[in-house]
Amino acid sequence: MGMTLTEKILARASGLADVSPGDVVIAKVDRVMMHDVGAPGVQDVFEDLERRGFDVGKLYDPNMVWMTEDHFVPAVDVKSAENIKMMEEMAMRFGIKEYYRYGLGTYGICHVLAYEEALVEPGQVYVGTDSHTTTAGALGALATGMGHTDVAYILLHGKIWFRVPETMYFSLRGSLRPGIMGKDVILKILGDVGADGATYRAMEFGGDGLHSLPLEERLTIANMTVEAGAKNGIMPSDDVVIGYYKSRGRTFGERLLPDPDAEYEDEYEYDLQEIEPMVAKPYSPANTTEIGEVEGTEIDEAYIGSCTGGKYYDMLQAARVIRRSGKRARSRLIVVPATTHVYRRMIKEGLVDVFIDAGAVIGPPTCGACIGGHMGVLGKGEVAVSATNRNFPGRMGHRESLVYLASPMTVAASAIEGKITDPRRLEV
Amino acid sequence: MVDVLKGRAHKYGDNVDTDQIIPAPYLKDLSPESLGSHAMEGADPKFHEKVQPGDFVLAGRNFGSGSSREHAPMALKYAGVRAVLAISFARIFYRNAVDGGHLLPVMISEDAYDSIEDGDEIEIDLGKGIVKDLSKDEIFHVKPFPQLVGRIVDSGGIFNIRDLADLLE
């Protein structure tokens, strides 16, 4: 029987000829990521094991691990500063060499760094201490988030249990019209599938529409598959993916493709030509609507950033909307590049000027206000339109603040007008 | 097997996400005091005043959606919560609760959810696979744990399993 992308990877990683949905396998993990929220938790598990007389000793393979500081950086308070110190000690103790330290070279939000630095490869099993680890599914990895106990287990044993998920297939046809982004595609899908419609399942994407999307747009789609509850989102290795890795000096013997007779639990088809700008209303990323319903909603803040909306392509598209409008923003506009790579390109190509001329604040790479950490947290009753991934109660600040999720272009257009605005109105 | 548990139910709705269970600014401090005192703050700022050791959270669909933060089941545990009864769970929360040995994620029917009220005295007997509403004298069957999950629950967490391969037998 044929296998889906996720089944193929899990079969290979667990040394089995084939696997089926519902099977429980013990799979070898190829790559592990820890950030400044997950790593202290892992350290906590290690200390607990040591108190119980277990010798933590060495990691299974320190080279499988990479770390970054991204959530509460630059240190927000004493606790976050101490967590960063703890990570430095972990890196020393266990010999973790791939460590992207904040303010010490290349740094930024884990999921964007994983792509820019090619830290994950097609066909790998990749686990991170962050739910949006699903992002790397766009590169063809089985990429999923776990808590710090499971990650501590993987660090010591190199493997973990997985339930083989049922796979839902999403066929994308055609191409997006101007003013529409990958963010609109995934918001449309989330509205259809629901906040728990993919729980315990894999979401696999394919079709000529997928191949028409730039890689960074695919990352946005894979990033938010977890908002439907999915274990992972995954995409095949097409020429764009292979070309990307070639440009990084990597070659692959085999492209990751699903078997022609793979079995899917459910199939959805989308014509990208028909996708409208989408907005997720409070308080769920799956509470979506076409922009018309909420256009004109007054906003206090527009936020462009995060692992979802802080990539180079996101900044480029948002800056284009602002530049073409020729206007200054009427609402507070906060722009936070996801990584130093994005930031540097924004400076070189004049995007920083476009945002600052419009009146924006440019923050340093960090998760920032997306998690209500700092750099633009919302007060009681404040309304934001945000290029981020979650609008749960209190996600970006006060539990009575209101967050509307939209594409970076929609956020840019909304900032200019001071109210939720279809970016195509400014695309003259 | 886990003992019979008895406590009061604190009832919430669908989609109680991890940002509500433990808001992100509290992720910086893993101490039981800090996590426990802020549990459920995003859903119910008075939760820490109401909850007693041994109590349960009762919820609808998709409990624990969102982040992979294991701080969510830990915060509930440190607040005294021994089990969450919900119609369904988000996968990472479920996995963290079980593999971390923090609390029991118990799947109940919609009927049970609809019937049990906030503040009801509940008894959970997983050996018999039932939840009793002692306040109403009603009995509901719970969805049994899948075999592998049950074995990890019985062991008290994934680090108490000698060899993962044992789970597949």
Side-chain angles (χ1 to χ4, degrees), chain A residues 192-213:
Chain A
D192 292 345
V193 172
D196 60 355
T199 300
Y200 305 112
R201 297 183 176 85
M203 292 170 73
E204 183 177 313
F205 297 81
D208 62 290
L210 176 71
H211 306 310
S212 77
L213 292 174

Side-chain angles (χ1 to χ4, degrees), chain A residues 52 148-150 161 399, chain B residues 19 28 42 70 95 99 160:
Chain A
R52 290 158 55 190
H148 50 244
T149 296
D150 281 334
W161 67 271
R399 57 191 286 269
Chain B
D19 279 282
K28 290 171 276 190
E70 194 166 322
R95 204 179 162 118
D99 282 0
N160 296 333

Side-chain angles (χ1 to χ4, degrees), chain A residues 179 184 277-279 291 385 406-415 420-423:
Chain A
D184 299 303
M278 300 294 294
V279 174
I291 195 165
V385 60
S407 79
M409 290 177 94
T410 297
V411 175
S414 305
I420 296 179
T421 301
D422 186 330

